[in-house]
Amino acid sequence: MKQIKPIAIVLPQFHPIPENNLWWGEGFTEWTNVVKGRPRFRGHYQPHLPKDLGYYDLRLPEIREAQAQLAKRYGIYGFCYYHYWFGGRRILEKPVDMMIASGRPDFPFMLCWANENWSRNWDGGFRDILIEQTYSREDFVAHARHLVNIFEDRRYIRVDGRPVFAIYKDGNIEDLDAGLDVFRYELKRHGIDVYLLRFERRVGTRTDFAKAFAVFDAGAEFQPLSRQLAMLDPSWKRIALFSRLKPLRLGSRLFSNRDVGVIYRYQDIVENDLNYNFQQGWPIYPGVSPGWDNSPRRVGRRALVIDGSTPELFKRWVVGKLRKTVWDGLPEKFLFINAWNEWAEGCHLEPCERWGTQFLQALQQGIEDACDNCNDTNC
């Protein structure tokens, strides 16, 4: 077995683009959402504001270098950048393009195709599609050809020499098997054997296994899993919709009024994940998350808040997850962290004003503690 390799998911929406200027106003970046954060109930940690790196612009090479150096300092192996491809149209591509062109920073990376429609989710217009995601044989060929240069970069993360490419929502792809067959074939024509990864949300269902075995090499947990939320209380939707208290406590779950949405305790998410057992029928890389709170992005009750995240609880999750994972069948010890910089979703390892670098320290110490009690001398 090889040593644990934490991979942090990176959102590139920290620079202005023409599309966002048109849809959301001139100069819009993710920071526009972040600073809108407000406490919606007693003890609610909002807004999440950056500390060490400030309100950065990812077009600046010194910022990308600073991110990589900070990640290295705390033992993170590499970054997984969201990659936006809409039938040949690319969005938010500049940070990765600049990184490829310059060769800097010297830090491992991979891509995840964020294959969702872009809609007006942030202001409640879920049905108002801004860019539609479409699929065709011709587009899978074009997409593969575009990725060849990126996959050949010496820094690109690989498994047994194969570049790792993740897909965010494979369930959105019509005729998935045929599409990915075309994608693989075109890459092989260029001498590339891609390692396809599927982001998992409801690990353990028969449908997941059947689909995964057919077209993917492995899965990776995208935390927090929707399966966890459903298991904690199946009636949360009803309670959240009809509650008028501020807030209403129900057992270990918290539910607020219509201005907040639905709230879970971070501790419950951690315990549920570590206590849940499923038959792992295929390779699944483990995942953890330092928190979740998309209230700055979502209107009213559409917000999902996981309250009470602390570095200590995060470390407990890291230790427990690594010890629990069945590593047999996994060629690498990847640990996926959601996320490095999802600031408007309260989900970031980057230092904030409240916690500083404590979540990064917790990740590093958690990995060390997990390895102290394992039999793998390479851990």
Side-chain angles (χ1 to χ4, degrees):
M1 280 287 187
K2 301 177 181 179
Q3 69 180 34
I4 292 166
K5 296 179 177 180
I7 298 175
I9 299 170
V10 176
L11 179 71
Q13 192 164 224
F14 291 91
H15 63 91
I17 60 173
E19 291 84 356
N20 279 336
N21 288 341
L22 175 64
W23 299 327
W24 309 107
E26 198 69 24
F28 175 93
T29 73
E30 191 70 358
W31 298 121
T32 309
N33 285 326
V34 172
V35 297
K36 291 179 180 178
R38 296 292 184 272
R40 299 195 188 182
F41 56 91
R42 184 178 299 173
H44 185 200
Y45 172 36
Q46 279 293 345
H48 289 229
L49 302 179
K51 186 181 179 184
D52 296 26
L53 299 178
Y55 297 91
Y56 53 73
D57 185 325
L58 279 180
R59 295 173 299 182
L60 299 176
E62 56 266 35
I63 291 298
R64 299 192 299 272
E65 192 71 45
Q67 286 181 319
Q69 292 303 319
L70 183 63
K72 283 181 183 179
R73 191 182 312 152
Y74 291 97
I76 292 176
Y77 172 69
F79 286 151
C80 174
Y81 289 91
Y82 283 126
H83 162 72
Y84 300 90
W85 172 278
F86 298 88
R89 180 179 179 180
R90 296 190 299 144
I91 304 290
L92 298 171
E93 76 285 356
K94 284 186 178 179
V96 171
D97 281 0
M98 291 175 172
M99 180 178 62
I100 296 294
S102 67
R104 303 295 303 177
D106 187 9
F107 191 63
F109 75 96
M110 59 173 282
L111 300 182
C112 170
W113 181 18
N115 63 315
E116 287 187 302
N117 294 334
W118 272 27
S119 62
R120 298 188 67 89
N121 290 14
W122 299 335
D123 64 359
F126 288 85
R127 296 182 182 179
D128 185 3
I129 295 177
L130 304 173
I131 308 181
E132 185 176 7
Q133 187 72 253
T134 59
Y135 307 93
S136 68
R137 177 187 178 88
E138 294 74 21
D139 188 56
F140 275 109
V141 171
H143 198 176
R145 290 175 180 171
H146 165 72
L147 290 167
V148 168
N149 181 57
I150 298 174
F151 288 166
E152 289 178 342
D153 191 284
R154 64 177 181 80
R155 296 163 294 176
Y156 201 89
I157 293 173
R158 303 173 189 278
V159 170
D160 295 330
R162 303 166 62 192
V164 182
F165 185 66
I167 295 181
Y168 185 66
K169 281 191 175 180
D170 61 293
N172 289 356
I173 303 176
E174 304 96 348
D175 202 1
L176 177 70
D177 296 27
L180 292 187
D181 280 349
V182 169
F183 185 74
R184 284 185 185 273
Y185 178 77
E186 184 61 27
L187 286 170
K188 285 183 178 179
R189 289 184 63 247
H190 291 82
I192 296 173
D193 183 14
V194 68
Y195 186 89
L196 286 178
L197 206 60
R198 175 180 188 248
F199 272 179
E200 302 279 353
R201 286 171 179 76
R202 298 183 63 85
V203 176
T205 67
R206 293 181 181 179
T207 302
D208 287 349
F209 287 151
K211 184 180 292 185
F213 272 127
V215 293
F216 289 93
D217 294 287
E221 290 183 344
F222 185 86
Q223 296 284 3
L225 301 175
S226 60
R227 176 258 299 160
Q228 294 167 297
L229 305 182
M231 289 180 66
L232 280 173
D233 194 313
S235 63
W236 67 265
K237 290 184 180 179
R238 177 178 58 80
I239 297 170
L241 287 173
F242 291 100
S243 169
R244 297 294 184 274
L245 300 179
K246 212 188 237 188
L248 167 68
R249 285 184 177 269
L250 181 72
S252 59
R253 267 65 66 190
L254 292 173
F255 298 93
S256 66
N257 70 357
R258 296 170 65 169
D259 182 53
V260 181
V262 62
I263 310 171
Y264 291 96
R265 285 186 176 179
Y266 184 81
Q267 182 174 352
D268 293 340
I269 300 296
V270 173
E271 291 178 355
N272 181 70
D273 188 58
L274 295 180
N275 291 331
Y276 181 71
N277 293 312
F278 63 89
Q279 183 63 42
Q280 186 167 310
W282 72 300
I284 299 174
Y285 293 100
V288 292
S289 175
W292 187 271
D293 179 356
N294 61 13
S295 59
R297 277 187 169 187
R298 297 299 172 97
V299 175
R301 64 192 183 202
R302 291 187 176 94
L304 170 62
V305 179
I306 298 179
D307 189 47
S309 170
T310 66
E312 291 76 17
L313 287 171
F314 178 58
K315 176 185 172 182
R316 177 182 172 187
W317 197 358
V318 171
V319 172
K321 195 71 178 181
L322 293 177
R323 290 177 179 173
K324 177 183 177 179
T325 298
V326 179
W327 293 104
D328 294 344
L330 292 170
E332 292 284 357
K333 280 190 171 181
F334 292 148
L335 172 67
F336 284 85
I337 301 105
N338 183 34
W340 173 257
N341 64 341
E342 284 278 11
W343 283 92
E345 294 187 340
C347 181
H348 51 87
L349 289 174
E350 285 184 335
C352 66
E353 288 189 351
R354 179 173 184 175
W355 296 109
T357 60
Q358 291 184 54
F359 276 94
L360 285 165
Q361 295 172 34
L363 174 64
Q364 185 177 48
Q365 189 60 55
I367 292 172
E368 292 176 2
D369 289 357
C371 290
D372 285 344
N373 294 318
C374 79
N375 296 322
D376 187 347
T377 57
N378 292 319
C379 191

